Amino acid sequence: MSKNPFQQNHETMTMCELFKKFKRFKLFEPSLGVLGFFLVVFFVICCFFYLDYRAVAKGYVIPAQSERFLWLELNGSSSEIKRVEFLEEEGNDCNVFDGDWVWDEGYPLYQSKDCSFLDEGFRCTEYGRPDLFYTKWRWQPRRCNLPRFDGKVMLEKLRNKRLVFVGDSIGRNQWESFLCMLSSAVPNKDSIYEVNGSPITKHKGFLVFMFKDYNCTVEYYRAPFLVLQSRSPAGSPEKIKTTLKLDQMDWDSSRWRNADVLIFNTGHWWNYEKTIRGGCYFQVGTKVKMQMKVEQAYRKSIETVMRWIHNEVNVSKTQVFFRTFAPVHFKGGDWKSGGSCHLETLPGLRTSLVPSQTWGLVKVVGDVLAAYSNTSLSTGLDILNVTQMTALRKDGHSSLYYLGSKSPAPLHRQDCSHWCLPGVPDAWNELLYALFLKHDNSRTFNSSVINNI
């Protein structure tokens, strides 16, 4: 017997009525229903974000099926990978630059308010940054465990020695981080001082800090290109203001040569804006290479640095590190055209914000260093390959909080190049510490790092 079409199930009628009402519904008509709908959606979204932050903050283990957190290992734990200790013999084959950022409640290693060796531009928390998430991430290699940084151990290793950073302002960022990490182990802060009485503010030249109780110095030399920048040759076209002599080292290189530990970095200034657009061209010998591209010039400069190390530095005495380029994270522009990183509070899932030319510079370094891997440099050179790990840290930049006042910078003048301290450069220094101790123990070169650049 057929069903009476007029005798419908009450539930079906209700759904049909709702559907008809929905079809008649005008989305943009002022309505409490519309307002209520959007409030509920907003509330649900906020709940998800809140739960994610709670999960991160409390170190909850995220289930494997949660795709949003596949990149993240909380508390550095993993049931699938058995890690060895990097400083042990079993750790010799571990690539410490292949890993993840993990949440660690034991961080940061120091507080900016307790360190007097920081530029105002790096004191983000003190000058208005409201979140502290960026200070809580630790770098965890996939296959091994790094030694926890111990300032007293490092200072004992540096007793009666010189440790020198050479490079651009990002190198200075790392140097100041290292000063804070070391000074946290020194009760009497008055025993740490700049030997020439110079203040730790932005200026050209160099700064030398003495740790009196250990008779060691931790120094910074500003040389953003590492090679020599000088006036243009006589008779040059008017548009040539200065040149980079790609076959000569910076004037101050004689001051670095006898350091016990030497950390180089360059890359931040190797772009069109900082060179050719500003009238700075490239010179080899007496000739200015008007058609030479930035990447070609960068390659020649790295070759010059390697030759200088090979010929001028006693690598049996001096441990040399080369830190690779630290990416910027400007979104929607650059430093002068409204690029931003403000409101970034968590590490990224991918490196899409990183400019493509960054990877070109990294490849240049890898190619040049590979050519020296079978020379005498192989026992005295280590690579701090921080590019990939740093590419994920869009959350760690100074952004609006670099002016040294309670008022943030304008939104169109954000700093997405330099880093808040404590923060990302501390992780670079933890890697520096681990490689230094490894080298000090075994005097071996981790050549596998070059192959992973």
Side-chain angles (χ1 to χ4, degrees), residues 157-191:
K157 294 286 185 181
L158 293 176
R159 186 178 289 277
N160 301 318
K161 295 180 179 179
R162 295 175 62 210
L163 184 145
V164 173
F165 286 86
V166 180
D168 53 32
S169 57
I170 310 300
R172 181 190 177 101
N173 217 165
Q174 183 182 4
W175 169 69
E176 293 188 23
S177 159
F178 198 66
L179 282 176
C180 290
M181 292 167 73
L182 289 178
S183 67
S184 65
V186 179
N188 180 16
K189 299 299 188 286
D190 291 337
S191 66

Side-chain angles (χ1 to χ4, degrees), residues 360-377:
L361 295 182
V362 173
K363 186 178 185 304
V364 166
V365 172
D367 291 345
V368 174
L369 295 181
Y372 284 87
S373 60
N374 293 320
T375 69
S376 60
L377 276 182

Side-chain angles (χ1 to χ4, degrees), residues 2 48 73 81 86 173 176 268 286 297 303 323 329 363 370 394:
S2 62
F48 274 115
E73 293 178 52
I81 300 175
F86 177 63
N173 217 165
E176 293 188 23
H268 194 54
T286 59
E303 289 171 349
R323 177 177 62 72
H329 290 92
K363 186 178 185 304
K394 59 187 174 64

Side-chain angles (χ1 to χ4, degrees), residues 241-431:
K241 308 300 181 185
T242 60
T243 64
L244 287 173
K245 295 184 175 181
L246 302 177
D247 51 358
Q248 294 185 43
M249 289 294 285
D250 187 271
W251 289 118
D252 281 330
S253 59
S254 60
R255 297 176 182 268
W256 323 328
R257 184 171 48 207
N258 295 319
D260 298 280
V261 184
L262 186 54
I263 303 106
F264 287 110
N265 93 281
T266 188
H268 194 54
W269 285 48
W270 286 97
N271 56 63
Y272 180 80
E273 296 292 330
K274 296 277 190 178
T275 55
I276 297 171
R277 187 184 181 102
C280 180
Y281 286 79
F282 309 116
Q283 181 177 345
V284 178
T286 59
K287 295 183 178 179
V288 179
K289 305 291 185 178
M290 300 294 293
Q291 303 304 317
M292 182 176 283
K293 295 182 179 180
V294 174
E295 189 172 304
Q296 294 173 298
Y298 184 65
R299 179 182 294 274
K300 285 192 171 294
S301 73
I302 299 300
E303 289 171 349
T304 296
V305 172
M306 291 300 109
R307 271 198 309 274
W308 180 83
I309 296 171
H310 183 71
N311 296 329
E312 300 292 334
V313 178
N314 180 2
V315 292
S316 63
K317 169 187 178 290
T318 301
Q319 173 63 8
V320 183
F321 294 88
F322 190 96
R323 177 177 62 72
T324 61
F325 185 62
V328 300
H329 290 92
F330 290 98
K331 181 169 60 178
D334 57 24
W335 63 275
K336 68 181 188 309
S337 61
S340 70
C341 54
H342 182 45
L343 299 180
E344 298 287 0
T345 57
L346 289 174
L349 297 174
R350 57 188 183 276
T351 59
S352 59
L353 281 179
V354 177
S356 58
Q357 59 264 33
T358 293
W359 307 112
L361 295 182
V362 173
K363 186 178 185 304
V364 166
V365 172
D367 291 345
V368 174
L369 295 181
Y372 284 87
S373 60
N374 293 320
T375 69
S376 60
L377 276 182
S378 64
T379 59
L381 174 66
D382 268 305
I383 314 304
L384 284 174
N385 185 17
V386 305
T387 306
Q388 184 69 37
M389 61 184 282
T390 308
L392 298 171
R393 292 304 308 274
K394 59 187 174 64
D395 59 310
H397 292 289
S398 303
S399 62
L400 303 179
Y401 308 104
Y402 63 89
L403 291 181
S405 67
K406 297 299 181 183
S407 300
L411 285 173
H412 66 281
R413 293 304 302 268
Q414 298 185 33
D415 184 350
C416 304
S417 302
H418 298 92
W419 304 89
C420 297
L421 293 177
V424 173
D426 302 338
W428 306 343
N429 286 327
E430 287 182 283
L431 290 167

